[in-house]
Amino acid sequence: MTQTEEATMAQTEEKVIPDFGDDTDRKLCIICSKGTLDMAYPGLVLANAALMEGIEVNMFFTFWGLDMLNKKTMAHLKATPVGNTAMHMPQALSPLPGMTAMATHMMKKEIDKLDFPPVDEFLQQIVDAGGHLWACKMSADMMDLEEDDMFEEVEDIIGATDFMNMSDGAQIIFI
Amino acid sequence: MSTQTIAGQEVDVNEEGFMTDPSQWNKEIAAQLAEQINLGALTDEHWKVIDFLRADFEEEGETATLRRVSKRSGVPTKDLYRLFPKKPAKKMAYCAGLPKPHGCI
């Protein structure tokens, strides 16, 4: 082997190519159980981030989380300072008329500033990225909701046992 | 930081293999980077995304997030995942010779 050949080989061996983890079989299930604006976003952001990392994502919406899928409510989720000390206002003021509207307005503005989409658009982005949306049967029955009442991309209304099968081997996040 | 020879040109790369000097990038390099991560030959659709990333970086000084790419380049999210499978944001930045995007969307 000549010196040049050796040098070429050494260089080829050294070449660092990013590992994009194409063969990952990581699975993530996110349970969304809240219907407030501030609690809707963590699930959406995490689902989207996981998809961008090539992770399989199933989102299961239960109890108040169904408000995120309900066509009537999904665009009108609210953030409230009531009982939320993290909003750092005197708790006695928080139930006053207009406070929830104000907190919601402010949060929506901040979300928009960060270029995060509104809930419906975010869900669409997650579906376009290959994520799956499922509604909880018991909650849907309780709230008298059918598939037609929900965001079109919801794949099905399923029971908790179906969810157990689906989440086999997955990491689960409950929000 | 080290250097690599890509498409016959010496370029600076970081420890992951991402280029660190966008000015060293050219289309031949992009083609080889794509090949290296198994994207195969770049199509016009790929180039539309890569050209957008380059132009946007020039203006903004940072790599566009996936959402920004889909909103501004006119290439829908679905297609971005088809063109740059699994990790679209990172793969397209890699081919464009730009740093990984920092935004989490």
Side-chain angles (χ1 to χ4, degrees), chain A residues 7-131:
Chain A
T8 319
M9 257 192 79
Q11 207 172 39
T12 319
E13 275 166 11
E14 273 171 25
K15 198 167 210 174
V16 183
I17 297 169
D19 176 15
F20 288 109
D22 280 343
D23 48 0
T24 182
D25 55 359
R26 202 168 151 195
K27 282 172 71 177
L28 184 67
C29 283
I30 300 177
I31 303 171
C32 296
S33 72
K34 300 285 200 297
T36 53
L37 189 63
D38 48 326
M39 290 306 275
Y41 273 82
L44 296 169
V45 172
L46 290 173
N48 184 64
L51 290 161
M52 287 202 299
E53 286 299 294
I55 297 165
E56 185 187 324
V57 173
N58 283 290
M59 297 184 84
F60 185 66
F61 297 82
T62 186
F63 279 88
W64 311 121
L66 277 187
D67 269 15
M68 293 170 69
L69 299 181
N70 185 340
K71 280 180 195 162
K72 285 203 180 102
T73 53
M74 63 193 303
H76 310 289
L77 302 186
K78 294 179 180 66
T80 180
V82 178
N84 185 357
T85 55
M87 283 202 185
H88 302 290
M89 72 163 55
Q91 279 296 293
L93 296 181
S94 66
L96 291 180
M99 281 299 186
T100 295
M102 190 188 74
T104 303
H105 176 74
M106 277 171 62
M107 189 164 286
K108 280 191 170 171
K109 218 169 70 181
E110 291 304 314
I111 288 168
D112 189 54
K113 213 159 52 179
L114 293 170
D115 199 25
F116 283 74
V119 173
D120 52 349
E121 211 178 303
F122 215 153
L123 287 170
Q124 188 63 52
Q125 184 171 322
I126 286 166
V127 170
D128 287 347

Side-chain angles (χ1 to χ4, degrees), chain A residues 139-167:
Chain A
S139 314
D141 288 348
M142 194 170 82
M143 297 175 193
D144 209 13
L145 292 172
E146 291 178 21
E147 216 168 321
D148 284 350
D149 301 315
M150 298 180 200
F151 185 57
E152 293 81 5
E153 300 286 0
V154 172
E155 287 184 37
D156 204 356
I157 301 177
I158 62 169
T161 49
D162 297 325
F163 176 73
M164 284 304 139
N165 292 332
M166 177 188 298
S167 59

